[in-house]
Amino acid sequence: MRICPPCHQHCSVVCPHSRCDKQCGDVCSVCPEQCNWACSHQGACSLPCGAPCDRLPCNLRCEKVLPCGHRCPAVCGEPCPQDKSWCVECCRVGRHNGKFDTVVDLILQETLGEINLDENPLCILACGHAFTAQSLDGIVGIHRGYYTSSDDTGALTSFVGLKPLVDEGGSGFFSVPSCPTCRQPVSGVLRAGRVVKRANIDMAQRKYVLSLQR
């Protein structure tokens, strides 16, 4: 059996504290710092940054104000964008960056200018693309990490508990989800931490096994 050579691209693992400076094929170390994910509604994650989070996601919109003077478009608990590139009010006035007409709701195919951020706020990925929280939940398969409740139509309404992180596909490993726009691994989104961090740990284990076979 032919073993594929190690990937020499830069590692994609990133967190609020650091970015891995190794090559993609090298084994990463898990960040030992305290996890930053916290909000006034669901509390704080009590685990280290590199471990799958132990708190429930919040579905409310962030109440903070951006430097431009408008309310943050992100879901509560996520880092606020550092500029106005995803501010719907600024995009509506200037339309300078084209994001006002960017599809951010993959379920209803609605653009930034069409969605109601109070009902479905954004999650902004490290790659620079953004999607509604509901869309991101589907991209990362967030149901694998949480028990949820639904309304009469089957739509998710709230998270009610932590679910054991067991791969439903039978392989025993979680695959790292990717951005549907650029295909880069999903990172920089605290909401997805329980699932994405489990996937990163599984990937590190795979890399370690492969390193023993070289």
Side-chain angles (χ1 to χ4, degrees), residues 50-82:
C53 296
D54 65 352
R55 55 150 283 189
L56 302 180
C58 183
N59 290 328
L60 300 177
R61 181 180 178 182
C62 179
E63 299 177 351
K64 298 177 182 178
V65 177
L66 301 179
C68 62
H70 300 121
R71 186 177 174 185
C72 177
V75 69
C76 183
E78 293 296 320
C80 297
Q82 298 301 306

Side-chain angles (χ1 to χ4, degrees), residues 70-152:
H70 300 121
R71 186 177 174 185
C72 177
V75 69
C76 183
E78 293 296 320
C80 297
Q82 298 301 306
D83 56 31
K84 60 182 181 181
S85 60
W86 285 107
C87 173
V88 66
E89 287 83 3
C90 291
C91 291
R92 179 182 290 113
V93 173
R95 296 204 177 190
H96 57 282
N97 56 17
K99 291 180 178 177
F100 189 77
D101 300 315
T102 299
V103 173
V104 294
D105 189 330
L106 302 183
I107 301 172
L108 299 178
Q109 288 296 298
E110 291 182 336
T111 66
L112 177 64
E114 294 172 330
I115 63 170
N116 184 341
L117 289 172
D118 291 333
E119 296 180 357
N120 203 2
L122 296 181
C123 290
I124 303 171
L125 281 61
C127 61
H129 298 110
F131 304 94
T132 60
Q134 292 179 3
S135 294
L136 183 83
D137 291 348
I139 293 170
V140 303
I142 203 169
H143 65 278
R144 295 179 295 173
Y146 299 98
Y147 292 109
T148 61
S149 61
S150 305
D151 58 21
D152 295 337

Side-chain angles (χ1 to χ4, degrees), residues 7 53 63 123 144-146 159 163 169 178 181 183 192 213:
C7 177
C53 296
E63 299 177 351
C123 290
R144 295 179 295 173
Y146 299 98
F159 297 90
K163 181 186 292 186
S178 59
T181 301
R183 310 312 300 173
Q213 299 174 351

Side-chain angles (χ1 to χ4, degrees), residues 143-145 163-170 172-174 194 198:
H143 65 278
R144 295 179 295 173
K163 181 186 292 186
L165 291 169
V166 179
D167 174 44
E168 297 175 351
F173 289 92
F174 275 48
R194 183 165 174 81
R198 164 61 195 271

Side-chain angles (χ1 to χ4, degrees), residues 172-207:
F173 289 92
F174 275 48
S175 297
V176 179
S178 59
C179 169
T181 301
C182 67
R183 310 312 300 173
Q184 291 189 42
V186 171
S187 62
V189 183
L190 299 174
R191 178 185 183 88
R194 183 165 174 81
V195 174
V196 171
K197 292 176 184 179
R198 164 61 195 271
N200 287 336
I201 291 173
D202 286 350
M203 182 59 67
Q205 291 177 339
R206 286 181 174 180
K207 291 178 181 179

